[in-house]
């Protein structure tokens, strides 16, 4: 299983904070996973536009070509604005 | 010390924690602190309130990571980072960074490094309430360039 | 605000004065402060006490002059500089510099500029008491080079 | 009249904090004045060695070639060590 979490605008657009997803080897990397989720509908496609989206795996900022492993917690969110 | 909290913080208490500990009573002659507060204007619009969201767990990890980097780079004591989340009003304190060192240049640089990296690496997001409703704050290019200046030469 | 005094100062009170004034209730979102304290070692010798002498009148003038320079160079509010004179003990606070600005980079730079210039331009002199008696503290080359980095390019 | 003041080591060596001096046009600049005072004796010569000495006129840091005017307050002191 994969745990997918969303924050800020990303979460608000899809109106969902998290979901669980059966892991399959078809999720080669984070980009494949992003595309899979974006295909769930217009709002998902909008929320997961890559130009202003960051991704973290197991709470570490990651690159799109990072490999996805069973059990990972993957987070999608916009650029951070704290401080 | 890292704390992510809804409560306000007291700079005098934090200053005591930063400087008056048993391990290091007087050695650190230079103390630099940064406080960030909620402004009442953003992009020409009056801000009535702000909400701060974060990614629990990753927030603390990312702050620990930038503290490790700062301590590897400058001869400083254990820094203090406090960041508030939840509902805030104009003038409210948002973030505190405190650094003590034997050398003032190290204390200044490490403190500025910590807030610059926090701004681009720690998973916090601000939403502002203005006359036109709530809107998420856009990430600023200047924050990225401020962090870039710390890239090792 | 400039004060040269024998009494200790309270950083919480100064922070309030720096940020909560009627003219500027919430506009300055970035507050950077520096505190310098008496160290207990200098050049391998334990320091038991310190005496700080100054040139009354010129001290205040020179601090006003560097504040004028800082305000001309960075978009900051009125800074606070407090410097103590007289007898001090290890761990005692010596100097406070507080700067508020809408921009954190300006607040950091102006605060560091003020302490760097104070170190080479304000007429204070330190005398330390060690096992070998009182001795005047030597001016440090690193203070001169720290100030030189602010020379306009 | 000129008012001359001394601080820190400079004051301690000559064991004197200030003095008044009749102004004469012979004091062309601060260097002339320094030499005049240094000639007052061995301790004065030691205290007013130029290599580690600063000078202020009317509470402004000055250069050795600054002109001296009647009524000036001239201060001699070592490099400052506050902060």
């Amino acid at each position: 299983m994969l745990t997918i979490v969303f924050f800020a605008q990303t979460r608000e657009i899809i109106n969902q904070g998290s979901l669980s997803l059966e892991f399959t080897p078809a999720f080669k990397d984070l980009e494949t996973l992003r595309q899979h989720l974006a295909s769930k509908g217009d709002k998902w496609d909008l929320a997961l536009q890559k130009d202003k989206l960051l991704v973290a795996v197991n709470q570490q900022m990651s690159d799109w070509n990072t490999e996805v492993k069973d059990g990972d917690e993957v987070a999608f969110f916009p650029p951070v604005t704290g401080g | 010390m890292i704390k992510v909290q809804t409560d306000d913080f007291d700079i005098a208490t934090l200053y005591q924690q930063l400087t008056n500990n048993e391990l290091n009573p007087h050695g650190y002659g230079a103390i630099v602190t940064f406080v960030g507060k909620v402004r009442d204007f953003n992009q020409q619009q009056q801000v009535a309130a702000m909400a701060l969201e974060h990614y629990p767990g990753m927030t603390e990890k990312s702050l620990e990571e930038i503290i490790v980097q700062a301590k590897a780079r400058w001869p400083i004591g254990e820094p203090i980072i406090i960041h508030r989340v939840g509902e805030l009003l104009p003038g409210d304190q948002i973030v505190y960074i405190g650094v003590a060192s034997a050398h003032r240049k190290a204390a200044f640089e490490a403190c500025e490094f910590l807030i610059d990296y926090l701004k681009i690496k720690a998973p916090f997001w601000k939403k502002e309430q203005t006359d036109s409703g709530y809107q998420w704050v856009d990430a600023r290019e200047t924050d990225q360039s401020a962090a870039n200046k710390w890239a090792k030469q």
Side-chain angles (χ1 to χ4, degrees), chain A, chain B:
Chain A
M1 291 292 279
L2 298 173
T3 302
I4 318 286
V5 292
F6 308 97
F7 291 96
Q9 295 98 308
T10 313
R11 173 179 51 72
E12 279 195 345
I13 296 171
I14 59 172
N15 197 26
Q16 186 166 340
S18 67
L19 60 90
S20 289
L21 196 66
E22 192 73 37
F23 175 79
T24 86
F27 299 140
K28 292 196 299 272
D29 58 19
L30 290 170
E31 172 60 15
T32 321
L33 178 61
R34 185 192 69 80
Q35 286 174 8
H36 172 80
L37 292 166
S39 72
K40 284 165 69 80
D42 286 352
K43 287 191 171 175
W44 293 79
D45 188 47
L46 177 65
L48 298 170
Q49 291 288 320
K50 210 171 149 186
D51 60 334
K52 288 211 169 178
L53 192 69
L54 299 178
V55 63
V57 176
N58 301 324
Q59 307 188 348
Q60 292 270 358
M61 292 278 196
S62 300
D63 300 319
W64 292 110
N65 59 4
T66 300
E67 195 187 348
V68 177
K69 301 177 305 300
D70 199 8
D72 278 350
E73 175 178 307
V74 179
F76 295 98
F77 47 75
V80 302
T81 56
Chain B
M1 186 178 87
I2 291 166
K3 278 191 188 157
V4 179
Q5 61 188 43
T6 51
D7 290 344
D8 198 7
F9 50 80
D10 175 54
I11 60 138
T13 306
L14 295 169
Y15 177 73
Q16 289 305 318
Q17 292 173 338
L18 197 60
T19 58
N20 285 3
N21 62 72
E22 287 167 9
L23 287 175
N24 183 47
H26 311 129
Y28 286 167
I31 298 103
V32 174
T33 67
F34 171 81
V35 174
K37 301 177 104 177
V38 181
R39 292 192 241 173
D40 46 8
F41 274 89
N42 193 18
Q43 294 163 343
Q44 276 76 50
Q45 288 211 292
Q46 186 137 21
V47 175
M50 171 179 282
L52 255 153
E53 176 174 333
H54 77 124
Y55 181 176
M58 179 171 168
T59 313
E60 291 80 0
K61 274 191 194 174
S62 63
L63 296 178
E64 277 162 25
E65 169 60 23
I66 63 176
I67 284 181
V68 166
Q69 289 181 40
K71 289 175 72 176
R73 197 155 166 181
W74 290 280
I76 57 172
E78 189 64 34
I80 295 180
I81 300 183
I82 314 289
H83 202 297
R84 293 176 70 191
V85 292
E87 301 289 325
L88 298 173
L89 297 174
D92 279 355
Q93 303 182 128
I94 304 173
V95 60
Y96 175 92
I97 316 252
V99 176
S101 173
H103 307 279
R104 74 177 183 281
K105 189 175 192 303
F108 272 107
E109 288 185 355
C111 189
E112 194 174 2
F113 169 89
L114 287 170
I115 181 64
D116 283 350
Y117 267 49
L118 181 154
K119 285 255 177 193
I120 62 154
K121 295 199 183 276
F124 294 101
W125 299 274
K126 283 179 187 150
K127 204 156 97 163
E128 287 176 341
Q129 189 175 24
T130 66
D131 288 345
S132 18
Y134 263 115
Q135 59 186 41
W136 292 96
V137 172
D138 279 332
R140 294 188 311 166
E141 186 55 44
T142 52
D143 284 332
Q144 187 61 53
S145 56
N148 291 345
K149 78 165 179 279
W150 300 108
K152 298 236 190 183
Q153 277 82 30

